Amino acid sequence: MKPAPDLILQQLEPHAVRIATRKRQKIALTGEPDETLYLVRKGLFLARASMPHARHQIMSILYPGDCVRSAAMPPLDGSEITAATESGEVWRVRWSAAKTAMETDPNLARYVSDRVANQTARLALHNAIIAGLTGEERVAALITELVLRIGKQTPAGFVFDMPLSRTDIAEHLALNADTVSRIVSRMRAKGLIAVAGRNRLVCRSIEMLESECPLATTLERMHGTAVRQPLPAI
Amino acid sequence: MKPAPDLILQQLEPHAVRIATRKRQKIALTGEPDETLYLVRKGLFLARASMPHARHQIMSILYPGDCVRSAAMPPLDGSEITAATESGEVWRVRWSAAKTAMETDPNLARYVSDRVANQTARLALHNAIIAGLTGEERVAALITELVLRIGKQTPAGFVFDMPLSRTDIAEHLALNADTVSRIVSRMRAKGLIAVAGRNRLVCRSIEMLESECPLATTLERMHGTAVRQPLPAI
DNA sequence: CATCCAAATTGATCCAGGTCAACACTCTCG
DNA sequence: CGAGAGTGTTGACCTGGATCAATTTGGATG
């Protein structure tokens, strides 16, 4: 029987700087001489990097339980983590402290390395989505992921607050913000999704949504279990 | 003073199945019930996955020293590793054995987890390349990477044997094989590269090549050190 | 309430790259 | 030697999504 993730992470608490965040708050990753470990404890975050020519990209969406080593981010300028939900919490741990703790407790070492592996798999999947799907399929994939992760089942269907703006979606899916807006409108017209107030989305039928996206079964396997147990099996 | 990577990996040898490969040989990753660790010891390999509709994708290029946990690959059908050079060697280690060894020697645990982190960073960079660059810039980025990794300096410039076919390049860069052929022809016409026999490329000036690719400095940082020291600092 | 500003929508136009098809090159095998 | 298969090249054409521009929406603020 493995210890619960929370218990494992407890050991890092004395070494961690807790950062309570509000929506859109940024945590810069560049300019740090030493490696750092970030633990997402609460809320959703976007790992963002700048490209030359003032272009930005959202490399991945981070969920509670994720941990990010700065070594797992490529040396791009302006790397940062942005809070995507109203309130969130991140722990920042100096790598030297994390390393010591990991050498003391193999469970912690395993937790961190498994989490990094999981992040790698998600990146690879995201690669496949960007590289192989059409715009509409990409948006369907993103909404499917969010439904699986943060959707709440109600009589009207799965409801969630959209944590990404149109621009964020565009930066994440390698699309244009205008195009994203068009696609979302089209999906609304098709009845795949509906809006319920500012930034709140309703998905009546997840099956309909998944039928729009060729990689739905993989998404289900990568994000679906997260609905039932907050942190994927480790 | 850290032990040399070879020395660290030596511990895994008794638990490893050595696989000697010839070009195009495939190692299937799917269908394995347990997690597995693969260590690339010699040669170049391509991590490939199938998409629905019989589409394939090359998620990443693996170099000697890389290690791949199967948990770091998304659950896509037909995941496999393909040998891209004439002769190569891969070690396959059962995860349970690897885990025990890693718990015994923190150096090994660190090595593996650092390698996975490095692979994550490369995936994220590749994401940025696919998502943000034009076809021509993508090809320039790939050739820059290969020059940095396997290019040999000669009086005529940097020379290397192209390990990827046109189709491979297309599958890696999210382009069409026809388009790749066109782009390569254009680059040849511009003098960025030249062919020297079957599958052998010459790059007269790496500066010219890098000036074609907005992410050249990042590539240099991720792959450039590898030229000087076979395994990136860990 | 009116004003302001950022984000979203929508229309019109354009082009990089996809698609399809014809053809060339290399290698292997009989 | 020729036939066949696999891979690469090149041309003609088409389309998904980028770009540019105009307009709308929805908060925030005084």
Side-chain angles (χ1 to χ4, degrees), chain B residues 55-85:
Chain B
R55 280 251 174 138
H56 295 265
Q57 280 197 11
I58 291 174
M59 333 242 29
S60 56
I61 305 177
L62 302 173
Y63 300 97
D66 281 339
C67 54
V68 180
R69 286 178 59 167
S70 46
M73 299 277 288
L76 288 166
D77 286 342
S79 296
E80 62 187 27
I81 293 176
T82 313
T85 45

Side-chain angles (χ1 to χ4, degrees), chain B residues 16-37:
Chain B
V17 177
R18 286 156 161 263
I19 306 172
T21 58
R22 278 176 304 176
K23 193 158 186 171
R24 280 168 205 284
Q25 185 173 335
K26 295 177 207 300
I27 301 173
L29 296 190
T30 40
E32 292 173 340
D34 299 329
E35 198 179 338
T36 314
L37 179 68

Side-chain angles (χ1 to χ4, degrees), chain A residues 76-140:
Chain A
L76 288 165
D77 287 340
S79 295
E80 62 187 27
I81 293 176
T82 313
T85 44
E86 284 310 329
S87 80
E89 185 179 324
V90 175
W91 290 2
R92 186 208 308 250
V93 186
R94 281 179 38 237
W95 185 247
S96 56
K99 207 159 59 175
T100 310
M102 279 160 55
E103 277 165 21
T104 311
D105 180 11
N107 281 322
L108 180 63
R110 189 142 38 89
Y111 178 87
V112 171
S113 103
D114 285 358
R115 272 300 187 163
V116 173
N118 181 260
Q119 199 194 339
T120 310
R122 270 152 53 194
L123 262 181
L125 175 58
H126 188 243
N127 249 325
I129 288 172
I130 299 292
L133 305 189
T134 66
E136 195 138 356
E137 289 166 342
R138 291 181 215 177
V139 175

